[in-house]
Amino acid sequence: MSTTTVRSPAAPPVLGGLGLLTVLLGAALPLIDFFIVNVALPTIGQDLAASESVLELVVSGYGLAYAVLLVLGGRLGDLFGRRRLFLGGMAAFGLTSLACGLAPTAWTLVAARVAQGVASAAMLPQVLATIQAATSGPRRAKAMGLYGATAGLSMVAGQILGGVLVAADLWGTSWRAVFLVNVPVVLLGLVLAARAVPETRSQHPEPIDAPGTVLLAASLLALLAPLTEGRAAGWPLWTWLSLAAFPLLAGAFYAVERRADRQGRTPLVPPSLFALTSLRRGLVMIVPFSIGFSGFMFVIAVALQQGAGRGPVAAGLALAPMAVVFFFTSLAGPRLVTRYGTRVVTAGAGLQAVGVALMALAAWRSWPDLGIVELLPGAAIAGAGQALQLPIIFRVVLSEVPTARAGVGSGVMITTQQSALALGVATLGTLFLSLVPGLGMRDALVTTLVVQLAGVALTGLLSLRLPRTIG
C-alpha cells in the first residue's frame, strides 16, 4: 500500500504589524523630503550663494525625477520582488540624503536631490504594492487608511520639521540637518525591513516596457520642467517649445501603450486599467486635491517668512494644528466610510473649503501679524477636511486593482499624485509670486487662497461621482 504526500500550497505572504509600520516609514520619507526644504530654501540660498532659479531646481529636480520614474519603480518591484526594491531604494535614499547634507555647492545639491528622487521612485511604489499583495479584507482597509493618513501627515510634518531643524542648527549643520536626519532613520528602516517585510512579486512578471518608459518620462518632463522652472528662468523659448511638445508626446505614449495592451503584452501603464471606474474617478480627484495641497504649503511658507517676517520655526509650527487634526481625524475615517460610504469625501471637501476660507479671512484681517494663533481655526478645520479625503481616495483608486497588477496600479496612482504636487508648486506658487510685486504680499496670499478654494470646490463636485461603497 503506497502513500502519496500531498503538499499544501505555500501560504500567501502576510504583512504583520511591524512590517506595516516599516513600509509606512518608507512611504513617509519621500513625502517629508518633498516639503522639508520649503522653509530651508532661504538659508540654503544664503549659505551656497544660490540664485532663485537654482533653488527652484533643488525642489523641482527631486520632484521631477521622482514623478518620472515612479511607474517604472512599480514595474521593477513586480518583476524582481517588491521587498528587494524597497530595501535597495531605501538604502539609496539614505546615501543620497547624506550626499545632499554634505553638498559643497548649489549644483552639487541639485544633482544629489535628483538622485534622491530616483531612490524615492524605487522605494515608494513597493509600499502600496506590498499592502495590496500581503493583506486582505478589513486588514487591507485599515492598512490603506493608515497609508493615506501617513501620506497627508508627512506632507505637513515635513514643513514643520524643516523649520525646527534649520532653527536648531544642530552641531552647526544649519539647513544640512534636514537631509542628514534621514540617515539614522534609514538605517533603522533597513533593519526592520529585513526582518518584517515579506517578499512579494507578480506571479506572471512582464519585461520592462522600454518605449513606454521613455515616452512617459519625456511627456512628464515636457510638462513639468517648463512649469516649475519657467518663471524663475524668465520663460525662455525652450519652455514654450516644451509645453507645445507635451500633447504630442502624451499622444504617442497612449498609442504605444494601447498597441501593447491589444497585443496581449503588459505595457508600462495598461490602458485597460482605466476601465476600472473606481481607479479612473479616484485619479481625477487626486489631481486638484494635490495641486491645492502642495501649492498652499509652498505659498504659506514663503508668505510667513518673507512677508510676515516669521522665522523658520514659527513658519513651520503655524501648520501644526493642521497636522494634529489631520492625524486624529484620519483614524476615524475607516469607521465613517463603513457607515456613510464615500460621501464622507464630499463632507471632507466642504470642511476643507471652510478652513481655507477662514485662513484667507485671517490673512486679510491680521496681516502682517499672521501666525499660529490667527491661522489655528482655519488650519484645524482644513486638516480635518483633508483627512476625510486623501486616505479614502487612495482606497478607492486601488480597491479594484488585481493583486498581479498591484505595482502598476500603485505606481500610476503615486505618479498622478506626485505630478500634481509638482504642478501645485508650479501653478499656485507661480501665481502667488507673480502677484506679489503688483498687489503686495497680503493680497497675493488672499488671492491665491481664493483660487485654491475653487480647486477644493471642484474636488467636492468630483467626489459625487465616486462609487458609493469601497470594495
Side-chain angles (χ1 to χ4, degrees):
M1 180 175 180
S2 62
T3 59
T4 304
T5 302
V6 178
R7 294 185 178 180
S8 61
V14 176
L15 184 67
L18 184 60
L20 177 61
L21 176 66
T22 305
V23 294
L24 291 179
L25 175 65
L29 286 171
L31 290 169
I32 286 174
D33 265 58
F34 185 88
F35 290 92
I36 202 168
V37 298
N38 278 352
V39 291
L41 286 176
T43 311
I44 294 173
Q46 292 170 11
D47 188 35
L48 299 182
S51 65
E52 183 182 357
S53 60
V54 175
L55 289 177
E56 290 263 3
L57 282 172
V58 172
V59 178
S60 62
Y62 174 82
L64 287 172
Y66 186 16
V68 163
L69 296 172
L70 275 166
V71 177
L72 178 61
R75 171 62 64 83
L76 290 173
D78 289 348
L79 186 61
F80 296 112
R82 293 156 189 148
R83 177 176 176 271
R84 181 179 299 175
L85 261 290
F86 181 80
L87 285 166
M90 181 172 275
F93 186 85
L95 290 172
T96 52
S97 296
L98 181 62
C100 289
L102 299 178
T105 67
W107 284 107
T108 308
L109 177 59
V110 169
R113 283 285 283 174
V114 171
Q116 193 184 36
V118 174
S120 297
M123 175 171 60
L124 188 57
Q126 317 317 325
V127 175
L128 280 172
T130 298
I131 290 173
Q132 286 287 97
T135 62
S136 60
R139 291 187 69 252
R140 179 182 293 176
K142 181 180 179 181
M144 287 298 300
L146 288 172
Y147 174 86
T150 300
L153 187 61
S154 298
M155 290 188 279
V156 182
Q159 204 139 309
I160 298 172
L161 181 62
V164 171
L165 288 173
V166 171
D169 193 19
L170 299 172
W171 302 288
T173 55
S174 183
W175 60 268
R176 298 178 187 275
V178 304
F179 301 113
L180 296 176
V181 71
N182 291 331
V183 177
V185 177
V186 163
L187 291 174
L188 174 63
L190 289 172
V191 172
L192 294 176
R195 293 171 57 88
V197 176
E199 181 64 281
T200 63
R201 56 166 53 88
S202 175
Q203 295 299 311
H204 304 286
E206 295 283 343
I208 299 301
D209 173 17
T213 300
V214 171
L215 284 170
L216 177 62
S219 300
L220 290 174
L221 283 172
L223 175 65
L224 296 176
L227 289 178
T228 53
E229 286 299 304
R231 187 196 63 83
W235 297 105
L237 179 61
W238 72 264
T239 58
W240 300 108
L241 293 176
S242 182
L243 288 171
F246 167 69
L248 302 177
L249 291 167
F253 170 70
Y254 177 75
V256 166
E257 299 299 275
R258 184 176 61 176
R259 187 185 311 117
D261 216 9
R262 288 177 173 175
Q263 291 174 350
R265 295 181 283 114
T266 302
L268 187 70
V269 180
S272 57
L273 204 61
F274 292 90
L276 302 174
T277 302
S278 56
L279 179 136
R280 188 174 64 250
R281 293 181 179 177
L283 288 179
V284 169
M285 276 198 69
I286 284 176
V287 174
F289 180 91
S290 298
I291 286 174
F293 199 119
S294 65
F296 166 77
M297 298 294 285
F298 175 80
V299 166
I300 201 71
V302 174
L304 289 176
Q305 289 189 93
Q306 297 184 10
R310 304 290 180 184
V313 174
L317 290 179
L319 299 178
M322 180 182 289
V324 172
V325 175
F326 185 103
F327 177 73
F328 286 106
T329 306
S330 65
L331 297 179
R335 292 193 298 275
L336 292 172
V337 171
T338 300
R339 184 168 182 180
Y340 300 108
T342 56
R343 289 299 174 261
V344 172
V345 178
T346 310
L351 276 176
Q352 187 186 1
V354 172
V356 172
L358 286 175
M359 286 189 285
L361 185 61
W364 178 265
R365 287 181 171 179
S366 305
W367 191 265
D369 300 318
L370 189 65
I372 186 171
V373 174
E374 293 77 18
L375 289 172
L376 192 152
I381 294 172
Q386 290 163 345
L388 295 178
Q389 295 177 81
L390 189 63
I392 299 166
I393 296 170
F394 283 166
R395 281 182 60 190
V396 169
V397 170
L398 296 177
S399 60
E400 296 179 297
V401 175
T403 300
R405 287 186 164 180
V408 176
S410 62
V412 169
M413 186 183 80
I414 301 168
T415 298
T416 303
Q417 182 200 20
Q418 185 61 38
S419 300
L421 289 175
L423 278 174
V425 176
T427 53
L428 289 180
T430 296
L431 171 66
F432 170 71
L433 294 173
S434 300
L435 291 174
V436 168
L439 297 181
M441 192 72 74
R442 184 196 71 169
D443 290 357
L445 174 60
V446 172
T447 303
T448 306
L449 288 175
V450 169
V451 172
Q452 187 197 351
L453 201 56
V456 175
L458 175 61
T459 306
L461 291 173
L462 290 172
S463 71
L464 298 174
R465 290 175 50 81
L466 292 176
R468 289 299 299 266
T469 59
I470 303 175

